Amino acid sequence: MLFEKIRAIICDYFELDEDEVTPETTFADIGADSLDMVDLAMSLEDDFRVEVTDEALEGFVTVADVVEYIEAML
């Protein structure tokens, strides 16, 4: 369920179809730049009421990385 919610946030921000985003999808695959990642972090912070540190953000390579981080913070 957490993956689906995070996938919905990513799809909404990057204007992607849900079938385009899997846990293995990298942010490079979807063309995310550093500003996109900061915006995504702010969305995650708002939706999940967690803090996404700069160190964590730098470690987000795949969607699975985000899911693992949010799981650990909840």
Side-chain angles (χ1 to χ4, degrees), residues 6 11 30-31 41 64 69 73:
I6 292 171
C11 288
I30 57 178
Y69 180 80
M73 296 301 290

Side-chain angles (χ1 to χ4, degrees), residues 13 30 33 40 47 67 73:
Y13 182 81
I30 57 178
D33 62 21
L40 176 61
D47 284 12
V67 173
M73 296 301 290

Side-chain angles (χ1 to χ4, degrees), residues 5-73:
K5 189 169 183 180
I6 292 171
R7 178 176 59 185
I9 293 166
I10 291 168
C11 288
D12 184 51
Y13 182 81
F14 292 100
E15 299 179 358
L16 300 168
D17 292 327
E18 287 191 354
D19 62 344
E20 295 178 86
V21 179
T22 68
E24 296 79 27
T25 300
T26 68
F27 290 101
D29 290 342
I30 57 178
D33 62 21
S34 59
L35 182 57
D36 291 327
M37 294 304 292
V38 169
D39 287 344
L40 176 61
M42 291 189 318
S43 293
L44 294 168
E45 289 175 340
D46 290 344
D47 284 12
F48 293 101
R49 307 241 185 262
V50 298
E51 179 182 353
V52 178
T53 64
D54 291 340
E55 294 81 20
L57 187 59
E58 290 173 10
F60 292 165
V61 176
T62 66
V63 174
D65 295 333
V66 177
V67 173
E68 289 173 16
Y69 180 80
I70 297 297
E71 278 180 338
M73 296 301 290

